[in-house]
């Protein structure tokens, strides 16, 4: 009789451990799905495009930060320091300190081939690059606007279409190049 109670107790404990492990794994997956759905709604990007939750969380945390030329904190930030902060914190790589320098450190990417995390460059009333943002998917990009601070905009808006120059992805020969594989984060 004692052996039966011992076996029953061990089976019960084993069942509880397996059940807990399955619940933990399921809740982690559920949390990721909820985060993706939330960021999808906030940023206007399709759920299937929100593969890198870390990227969207970082952008979300900075939304509304005021613009400040040369700024690099939540008190104020400019476009190139924002894209630099994204790359340093999300992709663990450095890309340059101004929009022109960042463009020099990327491989150009056609607009139709942009992937979340790519950079988008603009020539606003200039012959040289004057603005940079981080592509999020579905033609949306995050950037530090001089009028509204850190925000998400649409590349299809007339203003951005007019000044769009090119997209870019960090050069492959840099050992610290970011990857679009979100599973490594």
């Amino acid at each position: 009789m004692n052996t039966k109670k011992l076996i029953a107790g061990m089976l019960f404990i084993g069942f509880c451990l397996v059940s807990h492990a399955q619940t933990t794994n399921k809740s982690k997956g559920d949390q990721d799905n909820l985060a993706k759905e939330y960021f999808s709604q906030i940023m206007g990007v399709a759920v299937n495009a929100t593969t890198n939750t870390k990227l969207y969380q970082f952008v979300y945390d900075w939304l509304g930060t005021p613009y400040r030329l040369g700024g690099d904190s939540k008190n104020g930030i400019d476009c190139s320091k924002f894209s630099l902060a994204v790359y340093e914190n999300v992709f663990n790589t450095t890309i340059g300190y101004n929009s022109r320098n960042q463009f020099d450190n990327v491989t150009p990417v056609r607009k139709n081939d942009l992937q979340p995390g790519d950079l988008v460059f603009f020539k606003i009333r200039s012959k040289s690059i004057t603005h940079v943002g981080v592509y999020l998917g579905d033609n949306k990009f995050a950037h530090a606007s001089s009028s509204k601070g850190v925000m998400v905009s649409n590349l299809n808006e007339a203003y951005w279409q007019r000044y769009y120059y090119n997209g870019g992805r960090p050069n492959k020969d840099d050992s610290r190049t970011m990857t679009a594989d979100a599973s490594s984060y």
Side-chain angles (χ1 to χ4, degrees), residues 13-157:
I13 291 171
F15 175 75
C16 289
L17 289 172
V18 168
S19 176
H20 177 69
Q22 288 176 342
T23 303
T24 302
N25 288 339
K26 184 178 178 189
S27 65
K28 173 69 172 142
D30 289 345
Q31 288 174 351
D32 287 345
N33 287 336
L34 284 173
K36 287 178 183 182
E37 287 178 26
Y38 179 73
F39 294 133
S40 168
Q41 290 174 2
I42 295 292
M43 296 180 200
V45 178
V47 173
N48 62 355
T50 58
T51 55
N52 188 336
T53 307
K54 189 173 181 180
L55 170 63
Y56 298 98
Q57 177 68 54
F58 186 86
V59 169
Y60 175 77
D61 290 345
W62 282 78
L63 285 176
T65 300
Y67 179 86
R68 191 175 91 220
L69 183 62
D72 62 0
S73 73
K74 292 222 177 161
N75 292 327
I77 194 162
D78 67 21
C79 65
S80 57
K81 294 294 190 326
F82 176 71
S83 57
L84 174 65
V86 169
Y87 268 74
E88 286 180 340
N89 290 280
V90 175
F91 302 113
N92 199 30
T93 190
T94 301
I95 55 171
Y97 294 94
N98 65 51
S99 55
R100 279 166 270 180
N101 184 262
Q102 290 174 0
F103 185 74
D104 290 340
N105 288 306
V106 299
T107 300
V109 175
R110 292 185 335 197
K111 197 174 190 179
N112 292 340
D113 296 328
L114 289 170
Q115 296 175 4
D118 287 343
L119 296 173
V120 288
F121 298 93
F122 303 87
K123 291 183 174 180
I124 301 173
R125 296 180 205 84
S126 176
K127 292 183 180 189
S128 61
I129 294 169
T130 58
H131 191 65
V132 61
V134 179
Y135 187 72
L136 299 174
D138 284 349
N139 290 310
K140 303 289 189 324
F141 68 103
H143 62 114
S145 160
S146 60
S147 60
K148 296 183 181 175
V150 176
M151 61 183 292
V152 175
S153 295
N154 191 325
L155 288 172
N156 290 332
E157 292 172 18

Side-chain angles (χ1 to χ4, degrees), residues 1-13:
M1 182 82 175
N2 212 7
T3 305
K4 286 183 181 180
K5 286 183 181 179
L6 180 63
I7 291 174
M10 290 176 67
L11 286 173
F12 179 73
I13 291 171

